[in-house]
Amino acid sequence: MQKINWYPGHMKKTKELIQTNLKLVDVVVELLDARVPISSRNPQIDEIIIGKPKVIVLNKSDLANPKTTNEWIHYFKKSGINAIAVNAMNGAGLDKLTAELEETVKIKMEARIEKGMRKRPVRAMIVGIPNVGKSSIINKLTGKKSAKTGDKPGVTRGKQWVRLKGNIELLDTPGILWPKFEDQNVGLKLAFTGSIKDEILDIETIALRLIEYLCDKYPEYMKERYKLKMIEEDGLVNMENMAKNRGCIISGGRIDYTRIANVVMDEFRSVKIGKITLETPDDLESAMDE
């Protein structure tokens, strides 16, 4: 399998864009994939937003293990950061997000009024890696009849503020960050969840790595879904048994590895195997101890 790389040129440009517009916002929304909260965040984000108040949004919570999602929310809260689970496809959790944004900057807004400044909407910016649902969330938050509130001083030409439900304005900028793939496991997990296009990867190897993980962490799910009598130690043997049970066979009785690979990837992403989270707070704490 080829090495998955990150793009420092793109990263530098995006970092500068965010920093340029950061002074215009009151709060940052950091968007993560609820299935991979560690791998779907850029490790430089806190440095980039320079201590600006932040709310974490765990999107795609409908695809993740609800128990583990709650563990993540509790973990972030202990770290002094409020986190909310949402589903951008149906809008679940987004009302709670708008309320949380207002609460996060409540003291700042009250201080403005005490100084005799006029009341204004809360201004927010969303940052996140590609394919975690930024556009879907913005579309749900703004609604079809969202009104652009016009250019603000100091904003790069073409950037717009859009009014959200509630007293909130969103700076509609391409707040996209690429993660650093120094740890190849990060690249693998983003490939599992579809954040990296399948076309640039070896799908058979990616699927084998996913099978190995799922057979280790979710053996009962795998046995039930793929009619496995038992989980073997060798991941390739499990993959071959799954292929036989699904009829992924080509002439001569040989295993069709590409077909079973695509089946597993599709069924994982469509939650047919089960609601699965690939990273837990314990994983993060273990990595920090190493």
Side-chain angles (χ1 to χ4, degrees):
M1 184 183 72
Q2 68 270 42
K3 188 175 181 180
I4 303 168
N5 295 310
W6 68 296
Y7 307 97
H10 176 95
M11 179 65 203
K12 185 173 184 292
K13 182 179 178 182
T14 306
K15 181 177 178 180
E16 290 171 350
L17 175 68
I18 292 172
Q19 288 174 328
T20 298
N21 292 288
L22 198 63
K23 61 182 179 292
L24 304 171
V25 303
D26 305 305
V27 59
V28 173
V29 177
E30 182 179 10
L31 187 58
L32 306 179
D33 185 322
R35 297 167 295 175
V36 283
I38 303 170
S39 295
S40 63
R41 80 185 303 253
N42 186 288
Q44 293 183 323
I45 184 64
D46 290 328
E47 171 195 331
I48 293 170
I49 66 174
I50 321 171
K52 188 75 74 169
K54 178 176 71 173
V55 173
I56 286 178
V57 169
L58 296 167
N59 191 30
K60 305 189 181 182
S61 60
D62 54 312
L63 309 179
N65 183 315
K67 179 176 178 290
T68 310
T69 298
N70 286 331
E71 289 173 0
W72 274 112
I73 290 172
H74 181 66
Y75 172 83
F76 287 123
K77 190 171 184 178
K78 282 198 306 181
S79 304
I81 305 168
N82 286 334
I84 295 167
V86 307
N87 173 3
M89 299 309 293
N90 65 11
L94 291 180
D95 286 343
K96 191 173 180 182
L97 171 60
T98 54
E100 190 60 54
L101 291 175
E102 291 180 340
E103 183 63 29
T104 300
V105 297
K106 182 179 179 181
I107 295 175
K108 176 182 178 180
M109 291 305 184
E110 289 175 348
R112 281 176 54 87
I113 294 173
E114 286 178 8
K115 291 177 182 177
M117 303 171 77
R118 65 181 178 82
K119 185 176 180 180
R120 65 162 173 77
V122 175
R123 295 170 181 166
M125 174 194 292
I126 294 182
V127 296
I129 71 167
N131 300 326
V132 180
K134 178 173 173 281
S135 296
S136 298
I137 281 186
I138 291 174
N139 290 338
K140 282 289 183 185
L141 285 172
T142 56
K144 293 181 180 179
K145 296 180 180 179
S146 62
K148 291 186 176 179
T149 57
D151 291 327
K152 302 286 185 188
V155 185
T156 306
R157 186 179 179 185
K159 302 296 181 291
Q160 295 286 338
W161 292 87
V162 291
R163 182 65 63 90
L164 309 186
K165 296 169 184 175
N167 192 33
I168 297 172
E169 290 180 350
L170 180 72
L171 181 57
D172 190 11
T173 62
I176 296 172
L177 302 171
W178 287 93
K180 294 178 71 173
F181 297 139
E182 291 167 349
D183 179 354
Q184 286 297 294
N185 285 324
V186 169
L188 277 173
K189 288 173 183 174
L190 292 177
F192 295 160
T193 56
S195 287
I196 299 173
K197 292 182 180 179
D198 293 340
E199 296 81 49
I200 68 170
L201 301 168
D202 174 354
I203 191 70
E204 295 171 14
T205 304
I206 292 292
L208 175 58
R209 295 288 172 261
L210 178 59
I211 289 167
E212 290 172 342
Y213 178 90
L214 296 177
C215 284
D216 179 41
K217 302 292 185 181
Y218 293 87
E220 295 308 315
Y221 284 15
M222 296 298 280
K223 286 199 297 191
E224 180 179 350
R225 182 69 192 172
Y226 298 102
K227 305 296 184 283
L228 299 172
K229 293 180 180 178
M230 63 181 294
I231 299 296
E232 304 289 346
E233 288 187 16
D234 188 334
L236 185 58
V237 174
N238 289 320
M239 187 178 192
E240 290 171 347
N241 288 337
M242 291 160 63
K244 292 171 187 174
N245 292 345
R246 284 299 184 89
C248 297
I249 306 296
I250 51 181
S251 60
R254 291 175 296 154
I255 301 293
D256 188 339
Y257 291 101
T258 301
R259 187 175 165 198
I260 189 60
N262 281 298
V263 165
V264 174
M265 298 300 290
D266 290 344
E267 294 189 353
F268 168 72
R269 293 171 183 171
S270 59
V271 205
K272 291 178 181 175
I273 298 174
K275 292 190 174 185
I276 291 170
T277 301
L278 301 175
E279 296 171 335
T280 69
D282 287 342
D283 294 333
L284 182 56
E285 291 178 351
S286 296
M288 292 171 67
D289 291 337
E290 291 178 0

